Amino acid sequence: MCGRYVSTRAPQDLAGLFRVTSWEPQEALAPSWNVAPTDDVWSVLERTDRHTGEVVRRLRPLRWGLVPSWAKSLDTGAKMINARAETVAQKPAYRSAFAKRRCLLPADGFYEWVSVPATGRTKAYKQPYFITPTDGRVMAMAGLYAWWRDPGVPDDDPAAWVATCTVITTEATDAAGRIHPRMPLAVAPDDWDTWLDPAHDEPAELHALLTTPAAGHLDARAVSTAVNNVRNNGPHLLDPADNQ
């Protein structure tokens, strides 16, 4: 799974990198070294402008944890932070989004944990590892998004509609596979246009666009256990484990 990740690039940099044509400066997110479920995260997606009919590529925040339109509560999203690539085109919660509402979720890298058993002198704990492309490039994690109508908010309130997202995952390989059996999938730059285009809806063709981040060239290193607490944030979370 992917349950925590790092996203520190400025929106101006992301807009240029992903060739974004629309971004609202007031939609600002601070850099985060401990992105957690239900946080707002940066996404890149394409939507048809209601006034011009043109397809616009946007950089916008989404709430991490997909909430299907038929869900009764926003709390549903906390259980739907990941969608398995093997079943994403069939499961009712993701099927429609996979066909029409795909996005990219920029990340510097992601965390996974290894359980360390207790010894005579230490308690059992979970050791976090930071997994990131060896070349330092951004990871364009494959994601889906959905809109959920909050029944407790009046129609004329902008908060009536909540945009949420999920990360598509697969069996882990290479560096990530030594840490955890699942990992996020990514989309290569040459395939961003096809992945984001809502007109493309053939499942087999879409699955073919999903790849291992950085083509499998990943570095995994043990980092500070401070990341285990979602309230902690800052670059110190990436300090080597032996420097704690």
Side-chain angles (χ1 to χ4, degrees), residues 2 5-9 14 17-18 29 35 39-45 58-66 80-83 101-110 137-146 163-169 184-187 192 195-196 210 213:
C2 175
Y5 67 93
V6 176
S7 179
T8 64
R9 286 173 168 81
L14 294 175
L17 179 64
F18 288 95
L29 296 178
V35 179
D39 284 351
D40 283 347
V41 301
W42 283 124
S43 72
V44 178
L45 53 86
R58 289 200 59 195
L59 176 70
R60 63 156 297 161
L62 298 176
R63 188 179 192 268
W64 186 18
L66 190 136
M80 300 178 66
I81 62 171
N82 294 158
R101 294 185 300 278
R102 298 175 299 276
C103 62
L104 298 171
L105 303 171
D108 302 353
F110 61 98
R137 295 186 182 182
V138 68
M139 287 174 48
M141 297 191 299
L144 310 175
Y145 70 97
T164 64
C165 65
T166 190
V167 177
I168 299 177
T169 67
L185 280 166
V187 180
W192 289 349
W195 175 255
L196 294 175
L210 301 173

Short mmCIF file of all heavy atoms in Angstrom, two decimals, residues 2 5-9 14 17-18 29 35 39-45 58-66 80-83 101-110 137-146 163-169 184-187 192 195-196 210 213:
data_model
loop_
_atom_site.label_atom_id
_atom_site.label_comp_id
_atom_site.label_asym_id
_atom_site.label_seq_id
_atom_site.Cartn_x
_atom_site.Cartn_y
_atom_site.Cartn_z
N CYS A 2 0.26 2.36 -0.18
CA CYS A 2 0.94 3.66 -0.02
C CYS A 2 0.13 4.44 1.00
O CYS A 2 -0.96 4.91 0.70
CB CYS A 2 1.00 4.40 -1.35
SG CYS A 2 1.71 6.07 -1.21
N TYR A 5 3.39 9.74 2.22
CA TYR A 5 4.40 10.11 1.23
C TYR A 5 4.88 11.53 1.45
O TYR A 5 4.44 12.23 2.38
CB TYR A 5 3.92 9.87 -0.20
CG TYR A 5 2.77 10.72 -0.73
CD1 TYR A 5 3.00 11.89 -1.44
CD2 TYR A 5 1.45 10.29 -0.60
CE1 TYR A 5 1.97 12.63 -1.99
CE2 TYR A 5 0.39 11.02 -1.15
CZ TYR A 5 0.66 12.19 -1.85
OH TYR A 5 -0.37 12.92 -2.40
N VAL A 6 5.83 11.95 0.60
CA VAL A 6 6.46 13.27 0.70
C VAL A 6 6.13 14.06 -0.55
O VAL A 6 6.23 13.55 -1.68
CB VAL A 6 7.99 13.14 0.86
CG1 VAL A 6 8.66 14.52 0.86
CG2 VAL A 6 8.34 12.38 2.13
N SER A 7 5.74 15.32 -0.36
CA SER A 7 5.44 16.21 -1.49
C SER A 7 5.87 17.61 -1.11
O SER A 7 5.18 18.30 -0.37
CB SER A 7 3.94 16.17 -1.82
OG SER A 7 3.63 17.05 -2.89
N THR A 8 7.01 18.05 -1.61
CA THR A 8 7.57 19.33 -1.18
C THR A 8 7.76 20.34 -2.31
O THR A 8 8.11 21.49 -2.05
CB THR A 8 8.94 19.12 -0.51
OG1 THR A 8 9.87 18.60 -1.46
CG2 THR A 8 8.83 18.16 0.67
N ARG A 9 7.51 19.96 -3.55
CA ARG A 9 7.72 20.88 -4.66
C ARG A 9 6.68 22.00 -4.66
O ARG A 9 5.50 21.77 -4.40
CB ARG A 9 7.71 20.14 -5.98
CG ARG A 9 8.99 19.32 -6.22
CD ARG A 9 8.85 18.45 -7.46
NE ARG A 9 10.13 17.88 -7.87
CZ ARG A 9 10.68 16.80 -7.34
NH1 ARG A 9 10.06 16.17 -6.33
NH2 ARG A 9 11.84 16.34 -7.78
N LEU A 14 5.49 22.60 -10.07
CA LEU A 14 4.64 21.52 -10.54
C LEU A 14 3.86 21.93 -11.78
O LEU A 14 3.70 21.15 -12.72
CB LEU A 14 3.67 21.07 -9.44
CG LEU A 14 4.30 20.42 -8.21
CD1 LEU A 14 3.24 20.16 -7.15
CD2 LEU A 14 5.01 19.12 -8.58
N LEU A 17 6.24 21.73 -14.68
CA LEU A 17 6.66 20.36 -14.94
C LEU A 17 5.58 19.56 -15.65
O LEU A 17 5.84 18.80 -16.59
CB LEU A 17 7.05 19.68 -13.63
CG LEU A 17 7.50 18.23 -13.71
CD1 LEU A 17 8.79 18.12 -14.52
CD2 LEU A 17 7.72 17.66 -12.31
N PHE A 18 4.33 19.75 -15.21
CA PHE A 18 3.22 18.96 -15.76
C PHE A 18 2.44 19.71 -16.85
O PHE A 18 1.37 19.28 -17.23
CB PHE A 18 2.27 18.54 -14.63
CG PHE A 18 2.83 17.49 -13.73
CD1 PHE A 18 3.48 17.83 -12.56
CD2 PHE A 18 2.74 16.15 -14.08
CE1 PHE A 18 4.01 16.85 -11.73
CE2 PHE A 18 3.28 15.16 -13.26
CZ PHE A 18 3.91 15.51 -12.08
N LEU A 29 -0.87 24.82 -0.95
CA LEU A 29 -0.55 23.78 0.02
C LEU A 29 0.90 23.94 0.43
O LEU A 29 1.77 24.16 -0.41
CB LEU A 29 -0.76 22.38 -0.58
CG LEU A 29 -2.18 21.98 -0.98
CD1 LEU A 29 -2.17 20.59 -1.61
CD2 LEU A 29 -3.12 22.02 0.21
N VAL A 35 2.84 13.47 4.31
CA VAL A 35 1.48 13.48 3.77
C VAL A 35 0.75 12.24 4.26
O VAL A 35 1.23 11.11 4.12
CB VAL A 35 1.51 13.49 2.23
CG1 VAL A 35 0.08 13.47 1.68
CG2 VAL A 35 2.26 14.71 1.71
N ASP A 39 -5.41 14.19 4.22
CA ASP A 39 -4.77 15.47 3.93
C ASP A 39 -5.16 15.93 2.53
O ASP A 39 -5.47 15.11 1.65
CB ASP A 39 -3.24 15.33 3.97
CG ASP A 39 -2.68 15.26 5.38
OD1 ASP A 39 -3.44 15.47 6.33
OD2 ASP A 39 -1.47 14.97 5.51
N ASP A 40 -5.10 17.23 2.30
CA ASP A 40 -5.21 17.75 0.95
C ASP A 40 -3.86 17.58 0.26
O ASP A 40 -2.81 17.87 0.85
CB ASP A 40 -5.59 19.23 0.96
CG ASP A 40 -7.06 19.46 1.25
OD1 ASP A 40 -7.84 18.48 1.22
OD2 ASP A 40 -7.44 20.61 1.53
N VAL A 41 -3.89 17.10 -0.98
CA VAL A 41 -2.66 16.83 -1.72
C VAL A 41 -2.76 17.44 -3.11
O VAL A 41 -3.85 17.63 -3.65
CB VAL A 41 -2.40 15.30 -1.84
CG1 VAL A 41 -2.29 14.68 -0.45
CG2 VAL A 41 -3.51 14.61 -2.64
N TRP A 42 -1.61 17.72 -3.70
CA TRP A 42 -1.61 18.24 -5.07
C TRP A 42 -1.98 17.15 -6.06
O TRP A 42 -1.55 16.00 -5.94
CB TRP A 42 -0.24 18.80 -5.43
CG TRP A 42 0.08 20.14 -4.84
CD1 TRP A 42 1.16 20.45 -4.04
CD2 TRP A 42 -0.66 21.36 -5.00
NE1 TRP A 42 1.12 21.78 -3.71
CE2 TRP A 42 0.02 22.36 -4.28
CE3 TRP A 42 -1.83 21.70 -5.67
CZ2 TRP A 42 -0.43 23.68 -4.21
CZ3 TRP A 42 -2.29 23.00 -5.60
CH2 TRP A 42 -1.59 23.98 -4.89
N SER A 43 -2.75 17.55 -7.06
CA SER A 43 -3.10 16.65 -8.15
C SER A 43 -3.02 17.40 -9.47
O SER A 43 -3.13 18.63 -9.51
CB SER A 43 -4.52 16.10 -7.96
OG SER A 43 -5.48 17.11 -8.22
N VAL A 44 -2.83 16.64 -10.53
CA VAL A 44 -2.91 17.16 -11.90
C VAL A 44 -4.03 16.40 -12.59
O VAL A 44 -4.02 15.16 -12.61
CB VAL A 44 -1.59 16.98 -12.66
CG1 VAL A 44 -1.72 17.50 -14.09
CG2 VAL A 44 -0.45 17.66 -11.92
N LEU A 45 -4.99 17.10 -13.14
CA LEU A 45 -6.13 16.45 -13.79
C LEU A 45 -6.63 17.30 -14.95
O LEU A 45 -6.28 18.48 -15.06
CB LEU A 45 -7.25 16.18 -12.79
CG LEU A 45 -7.77 17.35 -11.94
CD1 LEU A 45 -8.85 18.11 -12.70
CD2 LEU A 45 -8.34 16.85 -10.61
N ARG A 58 -5.47 21.06 -15.00
CA ARG A 58 -5.43 21.83 -13.77
C ARG A 58 -4.49 21.23 -12.74
O ARG A 58 -4.31 20.01 -12.67
CB ARG A 58 -6.83 21.91 -13.15
CG ARG A 58 -7.82 22.77 -13.90
CD ARG A 58 -8.95 23.16 -12.97
NE ARG A 58 -8.45 23.89 -11.81
CZ ARG A 58 -9.15 24.10 -10.71
NH1 ARG A 58 -10.38 23.63 -10.59
NH2 ARG A 58 -8.63 24.79 -9.70
N LEU A 59 -3.91 22.11 -11.94
CA LEU A 59 -3.22 21.72 -10.71
C LEU A 59 -4.13 22.14 -9.58
O LEU A 59 -4.45 23.32 -9.44
CB LEU A 59 -1.86 22.44 -10.61
CG LEU A 59 -1.07 22.20 -9.32
CD1 LEU A 59 -0.55 20.77 -9.27
CD2 LEU A 59 0.09 23.20 -9.21
N ARG A 60 -4.59 21.18 -8.77
CA ARG A 60 -5.52 21.55 -7.71
C ARG A 60 -5.40 20.56 -6.54
O ARG A 60 -4.98 19.41 -6.70
CB ARG A 60 -6.95 21.55 -8.23
CG ARG A 60 -7.49 20.21 -8.70
CD ARG A 60 -9.01 20.20 -8.63
NE ARG A 60 -9.45 20.34 -7.27
CZ ARG A 60 -10.68 20.74 -6.91
NH1 ARG A 60 -11.56 21.02 -7.83
NH2 ARG A 60 -11.01 20.83 -5.64
N PRO A 61 -5.77 21.01 -5.34
CA PRO A 61 -5.75 20.12 -4.18
C PRO A 61 -6.93 19.15 -4.22
O PRO A 61 -8.04 19.51 -4.64
CB PRO A 61 -5.87 21.07 -2.99
CG PRO A 61 -5.60 22.44 -3.52
CD PRO A 61 -6.04 22.41 -4.94
N LEU A 62 -6.68 17.93 -3.77
CA LEU A 62 -7.72 16.93 -3.57
C LEU A 62 -7.52 16.32 -2.18
O LEU A 62 -6.40 16.25 -1.68
CB LEU A 62 -7.64 15.81 -4.61
CG LEU A 62 -7.81 16.18 -6.09
CD1 LEU A 62 -7.59 14.95 -6.96
CD2 LEU A 62 -9.18 16.77 -6.34
N ARG A 63 -8.60 15.89 -1.59
CA ARG A 63 -8.53 15.23 -0.28
C ARG A 63 -8.15 13.77 -0.50
O ARG A 63 -8.82 13.05 -1.24
CB ARG A 63 -9.87 15.33 0.44
CG ARG A 63 -9.88 14.87 1.89
CD ARG A 63 -11.28 15.07 2.45
NE ARG A 63 -11.34 14.93 3.89
CZ ARG A 63 -11.61 13.80 4.54
NH1 ARG A 63 -11.84 12.69 3.85
NH2 ARG A 63 -11.66 13.78 5.86
N TRP A 64 -7.07 13.32 0.16
CA TRP A 64 -6.58 11.95 -0.06
C TRP A 64 -7.47 10.96 0.68
O TRP A 64 -7.57 10.98 1.90
CB TRP A 64 -5.14 11.83 0.39
CG TRP A 64 -4.52 10.50 0.06
CD1 TRP A 64 -4.97 9.59 -0.85
CD2 TRP A 64 -3.33 9.94 0.63
NE1 TRP A 64 -4.14 8.49 -0.89
CE2 TRP A 64 -3.13 8.68 0.00
CE3 TRP A 64 -2.43 10.39 1.60
CZ2 TRP A 64 -2.06 7.86 0.34
CZ3 TRP A 64 -1.35 9.57 1.93
CH2 TRP A 64 -1.17 8.33 1.30
N GLY A 65 -8.08 10.08 -0.11
CA GLY A 65 -9.02 9.08 0.39
C GLY A 65 -10.30 9.22 -0.41
O GLY A 65 -11.13 10.08 -0.14
N LEU A 66 -10.44 8.39 -1.44
CA LEU A 66 -11.54 8.57 -2.38
C LEU A 66 -12.90 8.27 -1.73
O LEU A 66 -13.07 7.26 -1.06
CB LEU A 66 -11.34 7.67 -3.60
CG LEU A 66 -12.30 7.92 -4.76
CD1 LEU A 66 -11.56 7.93 -6.09
CD2 LEU A 66 -13.40 6.86 -4.79
N MET A 80 -10.12 4.29 1.79
CA MET A 80 -9.96 4.13 0.35
C MET A 80 -8.83 5.00 -0.18
O MET A 80 -8.98 5.72 -1.16
CB MET A 80 -11.29 4.44 -0.36
CG MET A 80 -12.41 3.52 0.08
SD MET A 80 -14.01 3.88 -0.68
CE MET A 80 -13.65 3.47 -2.38
N ILE A 81 -7.70 4.95 0.50
CA ILE A 81 -6.55 5.74 0.08
C ILE A 81 -5.81 5.08 -1.08
O ILE A 81 -5.05 5.74 -1.80
CB ILE A 81 -5.57 6.00 1.25
CG1 ILE A 81 -5.00 4.70 1.79
CG2 ILE A 81 -6.26 6.80 2.34
CD1 ILE A 81 -3.87 4.88 2.79
N ASN A 82 -6.00 3.77 -1.26
CA ASN A 82 -5.36 3.02 -2.33
C ASN A 82 -6.39 2.23 -3.12
O ASN A 82 -7.40 1.79 -2.57
CB ASN A 82 -4.33 2.02 -1.78
CG ASN A 82 -3.13 2.67 -1.11
OD1 ASN A 82 -2.46 2.04 -0.31
ND2 ASN A 82 -2.85 3.92 -1.43
N ALA A 83 -6.13 2.06 -4.41
CA ALA A 83 -6.94 1.21 -5.28
C ALA A 83 -6.00 0.21 -5.94
O ALA A 83 -4.98 0.59 -6.52
CB ALA A 83 -7.65 2.05 -6.35
N ARG A 101 -12.07 9.67 -14.66
CA ARG A 101 -11.53 10.67 -13.75
C ARG A 101 -10.18 10.20 -13.20
O ARG A 101 -10.06 9.82 -12.03
CB ARG A 101 -12.52 10.97 -12.62
CG ARG A 101 -13.80 11.63 -13.10
CD ARG A 101 -14.71 12.01 -11.94
NE ARG A 101 -15.09 10.86 -11.16
CZ ARG A 101 -16.08 10.02 -11.48
NH1 ARG A 101 -16.78 10.23 -12.58
NH2 ARG A 101 -16.37 9.00 -10.70
N ARG A 102 -9.19 10.26 -14.06
CA ARG A 102 -7.84 9.87 -13.66
C ARG A 102 -7.00 11.12 -13.41
O ARG A 102 -7.22 12.16 -14.01
CB ARG A 102 -7.20 9.01 -14.77
CG ARG A 102 -7.95 7.71 -15.03
CD ARG A 102 -7.35 6.95 -16.20
NE ARG A 102 -7.41 7.74 -17.44
CZ ARG A 102 -8.47 7.79 -18.25
NH1 ARG A 102 -9.57 7.11 -17.94
NH2 ARG A 102 -8.44 8.52 -19.34
N CYS A 103 -6.04 10.99 -12.52
CA CYS A 103 -5.18 12.12 -12.19
C CYS A 103 -3.77 11.65 -11.92
O CYS A 103 -3.49 10.45 -11.88
CB CYS A 103 -5.73 12.88 -10.97
SG CYS A 103 -5.80 11.91 -9.44
N LEU A 104 -2.87 12.60 -11.76
CA LEU A 104 -1.50 12.35 -11.34
C LEU A 104 -1.30 13.01 -9.99
O LEU A 104 -1.76 14.13 -9.77
CB LEU A 104 -0.50 12.92 -12.35
CG LEU A 104 -0.57 12.32 -13.77
CD1 LEU A 104 0.32 13.13 -14.72
CD2 LEU A 104 -0.16 10.86 -13.76
N LEU A 105 -0.62 12.32 -9.09
CA LEU A 105 -0.37 12.83 -7.75
C LEU A 105 1.14 12.96 -7.57
O LEU A 105 1.84 11.96 -7.37
CB LEU A 105 -0.97 11.89 -6.70
CG LEU A 105 -2.48 11.64 -6.86
CD1 LEU A 105 -2.94 10.53 -5.92
CD2 LEU A 105 -3.27 12.92 -6.60
N PRO A 106 1.69 14.18 -7.66
CA PRO A 106 3.14 14.36 -7.59
C PRO A 106 3.69 14.03 -6.20
O PRO A 106 3.12 14.43 -5.18
CB PRO A 106 3.32 15.85 -7.90
CG PRO A 106 2.04 16.28 -8.56
CD PRO A 106 0.98 15.43 -7.95
N ALA A 107 4.80 13.33 -6.18
CA ALA A 107 5.44 12.97 -4.90
C ALA A 107 6.95 12.95 -5.07
O ALA A 107 7.46 12.65 -6.15
CB ALA A 107 4.94 11.60 -4.42
N ASP A 108 7.65 13.28 -3.98
CA ASP A 108 9.11 13.14 -3.96
C ASP A 108 9.49 11.67 -3.72
O ASP A 108 10.56 11.23 -4.12
CB ASP A 108 9.72 13.99 -2.84
CG ASP A 108 9.38 15.46 -2.98
OD1 ASP A 108 8.77 15.85 -4.00
OD2 ASP A 108 9.70 16.22 -2.05
N GLY A 109 8.63 10.98 -3.01
CA GLY A 109 8.85 9.58 -2.65
C GLY A 109 7.80 9.17 -1.65
O GLY A 109 6.94 9.97 -1.27
N PHE A 110 7.85 7.91 -1.21
CA PHE A 110 6.84 7.41 -0.27
C PHE A 110 7.51 6.60 0.83
O PHE A 110 8.68 6.18 0.72
CB PHE A 110 5.79 6.58 -1.01
CG PHE A 110 6.33 5.35 -1.71
CD1 PHE A 110 6.26 4.09 -1.13
CD2 PHE A 110 6.92 5.45 -2.97
CE1 PHE A 110 6.75 2.96 -1.77
CE2 PHE A 110 7.42 4.33 -3.63
CZ PHE A 110 7.34 3.08 -3.03
N ARG A 137 14.01 12.78 -9.47
CA ARG A 137 12.89 13.36 -10.21
C ARG A 137 11.58 13.13 -9.48
O ARG A 137 11.46 12.25 -8.63
CB ARG A 137 12.82 12.76 -11.61
CG ARG A 137 14.02 13.11 -12.50
CD ARG A 137 13.81 12.61 -13.91
NE ARG A 137 14.96 12.90 -14.76
CZ ARG A 137 15.02 12.61 -16.06
NH1 ARG A 137 13.99 12.01 -16.65
NH2 ARG A 137 16.10 12.91 -16.75
N VAL A 138 10.58 13.92 -9.85
CA VAL A 138 9.28 13.79 -9.23
C VAL A 138 8.64 12.47 -9.65
O VAL A 138 8.85 11.98 -10.77
CB VAL A 138 8.37 14.98 -9.62
CG1 VAL A 138 8.02 14.92 -11.11
CG2 VAL A 138 7.11 15.01 -8.78
N MET A 139 7.90 11.85 -8.74
CA MET A 139 7.09 10.68 -9.05
C MET A 139 5.69 11.15 -9.40
O MET A 139 5.05 11.85 -8.61
CB MET A 139 7.01 9.74 -7.84
CG MET A 139 8.26 8.96 -7.55
SD MET A 139 8.12 8.01 -6.00
CE MET A 139 6.52 7.22 -6.22
N ALA A 140 5.20 10.76 -10.58
CA ALA A 140 3.83 11.08 -10.98
C ALA A 140 2.97 9.85 -10.66
O ALA A 140 2.71 9.01 -11.53
CB ALA A 140 3.76 11.42 -12.46
N MET A 141 2.55 9.75 -9.40
CA MET A 141 1.79 8.58 -9.00
C MET A 141 0.44 8.56 -9.71
O MET A 141 -0.23 9.59 -9.85
CB MET A 141 1.58 8.57 -7.48
CG MET A 141 2.85 8.46 -6.67
SD MET A 141 2.59 8.13 -4.91
CE MET A 141 1.65 9.60 -4.42
N ALA A 142 0.04 7.39 -10.15
CA ALA A 142 -1.24 7.24 -10.84
C ALA A 142 -2.37 7.31 -9.82
O ALA A 142 -2.36 6.59 -8.81
CB ALA A 142 -1.28 5.91 -11.57
N GLY A 143 -3.33 8.18 -10.08
CA GLY A 143 -4.44 8.34 -9.14
C GLY A 143 -5.78 8.43 -9.84
O GLY A 143 -5.86 8.57 -11.07
N LEU A 144 -6.83 8.36 -9.04
CA LEU A 144 -8.20 8.56 -9.49
C LEU A 144 -8.84 9.61 -8.59
O LEU A 144 -8.43 9.77 -7.45
CB LEU A 144 -9.01 7.27 -9.38
CG LEU A 144 -8.43 5.99 -10.00
CD1 LEU A 144 -9.33 4.81 -9.69
CD2 LEU A 144 -8.22 6.16 -11.49
N TYR A 145 -9.85 10.30 -9.10
CA TYR A 145 -10.53 11.27 -8.25
C TYR A 145 -12.04 11.16 -8.41
O TYR A 145 -12.55 10.58 -9.38
CB TYR A 145 -10.05 12.69 -8.54
CG TYR A 145 -10.46 13.27 -9.87
CD1 TYR A 145 -11.59 14.10 -9.98
CD2 TYR A 145 -9.72 13.02 -11.02
CE1 TYR A 145 -11.95 14.65 -11.20
CE2 TYR A 145 -10.08 13.56 -12.24
CZ TYR A 145 -11.20 14.37 -12.32
OH TYR A 145 -11.56 14.91 -13.53
N ALA A 146 -12.75 11.68 -7.42
CA ALA A 146 -14.21 11.62 -7.41
C ALA A 146 -14.76 12.85 -6.70
O ALA A 146 -14.05 13.49 -5.91
CB ALA A 146 -14.69 10.34 -6.72
N ALA A 163 -13.80 17.16 -3.43
CA ALA A 163 -13.04 16.39 -4.41
C ALA A 163 -12.02 15.53 -3.67
O ALA A 163 -11.23 16.04 -2.87
CB ALA A 163 -12.34 17.33 -5.39
N THR A 164 -12.04 14.24 -3.95
CA THR A 164 -11.17 13.30 -3.24
C THR A 164 -10.40 12.44 -4.23
O THR A 164 -10.72 12.39 -5.42
CB THR A 164 -12.00 12.38 -2.32
OG1 THR A 164 -12.89 11.58 -3.12
CG2 THR A 164 -12.83 13.20 -1.33
N CYS A 165 -9.37 11.74 -3.74
CA CYS A 165 -8.53 10.94 -4.64
C CYS A 165 -8.01 9.69 -3.96
O CYS A 165 -8.06 9.54 -2.74
CB CYS A 165 -7.36 11.78 -5.15
SG CYS A 165 -6.20 12.30 -3.87
N THR A 166 -7.46 8.80 -4.78
CA THR A 166 -6.83 7.58 -4.30
C THR A 166 -5.60 7.29 -5.16
O THR A 166 -5.51 7.75 -6.30
CB THR A 166 -7.80 6.39 -4.35
OG1 THR A 166 -7.24 5.26 -3.67
CG2 THR A 166 -8.13 5.99 -5.79
N VAL A 167 -4.65 6.53 -4.61
CA VAL A 167 -3.42 6.14 -5.30
C VAL A 167 -3.56 4.70 -5.78
O VAL A 167 -3.96 3.83 -5.00
CB VAL A 167 -2.20 6.26 -4.37
CG1 VAL A 167 -0.93 5.78 -5.08
CG2 VAL A 167 -2.02 7.69 -3.88
N ILE A 168 -3.24 4.45 -7.04
CA ILE A 168 -3.28 3.09 -7.57
C ILE A 168 -1.99 2.36 -7.19
O ILE A 168 -0.90 2.90 -7.36
CB ILE A 168 -3.47 3.11 -9.10
CG1 ILE A 168 -4.79 3.80 -9.46
CG2 ILE A 168 -3.45 1.69 -9.66
CD1 ILE A 168 -5.03 3.92 -10.95
N THR A 169 -2.13 1.13 -6.70
CA THR A 169 -0.97 0.36 -6.24
C THR A 169 -0.89 -0.99 -6.94
O THR A 169 -1.85 -1.47 -7.53
CB THR A 169 -1.02 0.12 -4.72
OG1 THR A 169 -2.13 -0.74 -4.41
CG2 THR A 169 -1.16 1.43 -3.96
N PRO A 184 3.04 2.13 -4.89
CA PRO A 184 2.26 2.94 -5.83
C PRO A 184 2.76 2.75 -7.26
O PRO A 184 3.93 2.45 -7.49
CB PRO A 184 2.50 4.38 -5.35
CG PRO A 184 3.81 4.32 -4.65
CD PRO A 184 3.88 2.97 -4.00
N LEU A 185 1.85 2.91 -8.20
CA LEU A 185 2.21 2.91 -9.61
C LEU A 185 2.39 4.35 -10.07
O LEU A 185 1.91 5.29 -9.44
CB LEU A 185 1.11 2.24 -10.43
CG LEU A 185 1.16 0.70 -10.42
CD1 LEU A 185 -0.14 0.13 -10.97
CD2 LEU A 185 2.34 0.19 -11.22
N ALA A 186 3.08 4.51 -11.18
CA ALA A 186 3.33 5.85 -11.72
C ALA A 186 3.01 5.84 -13.21
O ALA A 186 2.76 4.79 -13.82
CB ALA A 186 4.78 6.25 -11.48
N VAL A 187 3.02 7.03 -13.79
CA VAL A 187 2.81 7.20 -15.22
C VAL A 187 4.01 7.96 -15.78
O VAL A 187 4.41 8.99 -15.23
CB VAL A 187 1.50 7.97 -15.52
CG1 VAL A 187 1.31 8.15 -17.02
CG2 VAL A 187 0.30 7.24 -14.91
N TRP A 192 1.57 10.96 -19.94
CA TRP A 192 0.71 11.82 -19.12
C TRP A 192 -0.53 12.28 -19.90
O TRP A 192 -1.64 12.26 -19.37
CB TRP A 192 1.49 13.05 -18.63
CG TRP A 192 2.51 12.73 -17.60
CD1 TRP A 192 2.68 11.56 -16.91
CD2 TRP A 192 3.54 13.61 -17.11
NE1 TRP A 192 3.74 11.64 -16.04
CE2 TRP A 192 4.29 12.89 -16.14
CE3 TRP A 192 3.90 14.92 -17.41
CZ2 TRP A 192 5.36 13.46 -15.46
CZ3 TRP A 192 4.98 15.49 -16.74
CH2 TRP A 192 5.69 14.77 -15.77
N TRP A 195 -3.07 9.41 -20.22
CA TRP A 195 -3.65 9.03 -18.92
C TRP A 195 -4.66 10.06 -18.44
O TRP A 195 -5.72 9.71 -17.93
CB TRP A 195 -2.53 8.87 -17.90
CG TRP A 195 -3.01 8.59 -16.49
CD1 TRP A 195 -3.04 9.46 -15.45
CD2 TRP A 195 -3.54 7.36 -16.00
NE1 TRP A 195 -3.54 8.87 -14.32
CE2 TRP A 195 -3.86 7.57 -14.62
CE3 TRP A 195 -3.77 6.11 -16.56
CZ2 TRP A 195 -4.40 6.56 -13.82
CZ3 TRP A 195 -4.31 5.10 -15.76
CH2 TRP A 195 -4.62 5.34 -14.41
N LEU A 196 -4.37 11.33 -18.62
CA LEU A 196 -5.24 12.38 -18.11
C LEU A 196 -6.45 12.64 -19.00
O LEU A 196 -7.46 13.17 -18.52
CB LEU A 196 -4.45 13.68 -17.95
CG LEU A 196 -3.33 13.67 -16.89
CD1 LEU A 196 -2.56 14.98 -16.94
CD2 LEU A 196 -3.90 13.44 -15.50
N LEU A 210 0.45 2.22 -16.86
CA LEU A 210 0.90 2.19 -15.48
C LEU A 210 2.26 1.51 -15.39
O LEU A 210 2.46 0.41 -15.91
CB LEU A 210 -0.12 1.44 -14.62
CG LEU A 210 -1.53 2.05 -14.61
CD1 LEU A 210 -2.50 1.15 -13.86
CD2 LEU A 210 -1.51 3.43 -14.01
N PRO A 213 7.42 3.30 -10.53
CA PRO A 213 8.04 4.64 -10.44
C PRO A 213 9.52 4.59 -10.82
O PRO A 213 10.24 3.68 -10.43
CB PRO A 213 7.86 5.02 -8.97
CG PRO A 213 6.66 4.25 -8.53
CD PRO A 213 6.72 2.94 -9.29
#
